[in-house]
Amino acid sequence: MTQQTLFTDCTVATLKSGQPNYGLIEDAAILQRDGLIEWIGRSGAVPLKQSEMDKQSLQGRLVTPALIDCHTHLVFGGNRSKEFEQRLKGASYEEIAKIGGGINSTVEATRAASFDALVSASLRRLDDLISDGVAVVEVKSGYGLTIDDEIRMLQVARKLEELRPVKIVTTWLAAHAVPPAFKGRADTYIDQIVIPGLVRAANKGLVDAVDGFCETIAFTSGQIERVFQAAGSLGLPVKLHAEQLSDQKGALLAARYSALSADHLEYLSATDVEAFAAAGTVAVLLPGAFYTLKETKLPPIAALRHHDVDIAIATDCNPGSSPISSILTAMNMACTEFALTPEEALAGTTRCAAKALGLSGEYGEITIGARAELAVWDVEHPSELSYWLGGSPLHKRLSHGIAA
Ligand code: NIG
Ligand code: FE
């Protein structure tokens, strides 16, 4: 049976592409039918007989597309508060990684945790995101670093989708760090674990995209390119942790492979942005990692804007460089640290984040045919979503057109 609701008495920020001022519609109504947006416009212009419809007043609230966190490492065991203390005493992220801390210490804790323990630790973080109005979360592997442990991480990620009304998008990130068993043999690790593991995980339907960490403490662009070729032969899209700590030209490699996104980008050279822009690859900025690592080098925002690169914002939720499970906090940081406008920050967690996950048109915009995944807020203006820090002004989320 058709399920149809007319939401009335609201202001809607549609975030539709090409529309100024958040795509704001005052005194708006939204018609959802079977979980899809059937119509959106001024309340006086509803095209159907309202008496025949299930109506719900939103009592003057603001409606936006539900938010999207397009870059997380949500599934992990343990935490790294000890490294937080070391960094506060002056140790750098790279130094800690080189002496066996960093990603590899989370690998140990993740391998040691049971499936259920990983699910419940991840659920807490997922619930934080949901209470910020998030409906789509990308989750990477990368703390297993054996074929079985990487696959298990993605199975945990898929389990989360059964437990909460969210969409989980999974990413194979076995090329995250060279594990101790392969020390000094990164190429062998790529050949024996990253690529055959990817094939196995993909055959199990566990992989939506493929990522890597292109950095001096991780993998060279040549090694990442081999992973990208394997992804291509499986028909999977790629993305990359690029130019986070140094300029390895990873963003250009990502662009050559028509990557969905290149992420971090503090060390991306402004002169490389033009080539990057031509690929339509989204620049995912991660202000939580910038903040946590006390980075001072800013991503080339002016050049990204100049070349019309779509900019997304994500939490990068992880236990090392970004222990942040609030997308609204990431938006605030993007404005304060990177001087994004609140409108850019909101586009960065809706329309542009959807593009970074290959979900354009389906999520991240309130437009006819898109999914009725909406966030209803107790705020007067969408700029407030980036302005408040701590606490969430979410009134409720609508998932599949129904209160979630
Ligand atoms: O996105 N840069 C690599 N990966 C993560 C950090 C992971 C970790 O430190 O555990 C990031 O910042
Ligand atoms: Fe990351």
Side-chain angles (χ1 to χ4, degrees):
M1 201 182 110
T2 298
Q3 169 253 333
Q4 178 169 286
T5 320
L6 182 70
F7 297 103
T8 60
D9 193 14
C10 53
T11 299
V12 177
T14 64
L15 274 301
K16 268 176 74 169
S17 176
Q19 295 201 353
N21 194 23
Y22 301 88
L24 266 189
I25 305 175
E26 308 273 355
D27 183 22
I30 302 172
L31 180 63
Q32 76 80 25
R33 187 171 173 190
D34 292 334
L36 298 179
I37 306 289
E38 172 110 333
W39 182 87
I40 159 86
R42 299 282 294 214
S43 59
V46 179
L48 299 169
K49 257 210 207 130
Q50 297 201 25
S51 56
E52 291 165 10
M53 266 182 260
D54 176 17
K55 280 207 273 184
Q56 253 183 58
S57 166
L58 296 176
Q59 294 163 322
R61 294 189 174 89
L62 176 76
V63 183
T64 68
L67 305 186
I68 299 169
D69 194 349
C70 67
H71 179 141
T72 85
H73 306 250
L74 201 78
V75 175
F76 58 83
N79 73 73
R80 307 228 293 274
S81 64
K82 288 274 174 303
E83 289 180 15
F84 175 52
E85 292 181 328
Q86 289 170 344
R87 279 202 316 278
L88 290 174
K89 287 187 189 141
S92 75
Y93 182 73
E94 288 105 313
E95 281 159 5
I96 292 169
K98 280 184 190 146
I99 57 170
I103 293 170
N104 272 316
S105 75
T106 298
V107 170
E108 255 176 58
T110 304
R111 287 180 186 169
S114 69
F115 187 90
D116 289 349
L118 286 176
V119 169
S120 70
S122 308
L123 263 188
R124 285 189 67 157
R125 300 183 276 269
L126 180 61
D127 284 338
D128 290 344
L129 291 174
I130 290 172
S131 65
D132 269 1
V134 169
V136 182
V137 183
E138 186 257 14
V139 180
K140 302 174 194 296
S141 71
Y143 294 126
L145 310 190
T146 66
I147 293 179
D148 287 345
D149 287 304
E150 287 287 296
I151 285 179
R152 193 171 75 120
M153 284 188 69
L154 295 186
Q155 287 167 331
V156 170
R158 287 274 197 253
K159 181 76 189 172
L160 299 176
E161 199 171 45
E162 288 172 27
L163 299 172
R164 294 292 184 271
V166 290
K167 178 173 178 64
I168 300 285
V169 179
T170 54
T171 300
W172 180 257
L173 177 59
H176 194 198
V178 181
F182 287 85
K183 197 163 192 261
R185 297 185 299 135
D187 280 300
T188 314
Y189 173 66
I190 300 270
D191 290 337
Q192 294 184 357
I193 306 294
V194 178
I195 293 174
L198 167 60
V199 174
R200 247 177 63 194
N203 286 339
K204 288 176 184 285
L206 287 170
V207 183
D208 296 322
V210 177
D211 195 353
F213 187 19
C214 185
E215 193 50 69
T216 54
I217 54 169
F219 298 93
T220 64
S221 60
Q223 288 160 346
I224 297 290
E225 182 157 14
R226 291 199 288 120
V227 181
F228 281 4
Q229 282 165 353
S233 61
L234 292 163
L236 291 169
V238 298
K239 57 179 74 177
L240 190 62
H241 285 71
E243 276 73 273
Q244 179 185 10
L245 308 169
S246 61
D247 186 1
Q248 301 291 312
K249 304 293 174 199
L252 293 183
L253 172 71
R256 260 204 292 128
Y257 280 79
S258 303
L260 288 171
S261 69
D263 304 35
H264 286 287
L265 302 177
E266 283 87 337
Y267 287 80
L268 172 62
S269 156
T271 52
D272 286 340
V273 172
E274 193 171 355
F276 177 76
T281 297
V282 177
V284 177
L285 304 185
L286 304 168
F290 180 94
Y291 165 86
T292 302
L293 300 183
K294 293 191 178 175
E295 182 57 70
T296 52
K297 175 95 171 62
L298 286 163
I301 308 281
L304 293 171
R305 281 189 184 126
H306 179 74
H307 290 287
D308 280 328
V309 175
D310 284 310
I311 298 175
I313 303 296
T315 61
D316 194 15
C317 177
N318 77 71
S321 66
S322 193
I324 294 167
S325 52
S326 162
I327 193 83
L328 295 175
T329 303
M331 288 163 63
N332 174 279
M333 288 177 166
C335 296
T336 304
E337 295 175 334
F338 297 162
L340 259 57
T341 65
E343 184 170 3
E344 286 172 321
L346 186 56
T349 55
T350 54
R351 185 183 68 249
C352 299
K355 185 177 173 193
L357 297 179
L359 297 174
S360 290
E362 215 184 328
Y363 291 88
E365 283 171 80
I366 303 181
T367 186
I368 291 170
R371 290 179 187 255
E373 296 293 326
L374 306 170
V376 184
W377 306 95
D378 280 318
V379 300
E380 284 175 17
H381 191 267
S383 60
E384 286 181 66
L385 299 178
S386 298
Y387 160 73
W388 298 108
L389 193 50
S392 169
L394 184 74
H395 173 68
K396 67 177 168 192
R397 252 189 53 205
L398 298 168
S399 179
H400 212 71
I402 300 167

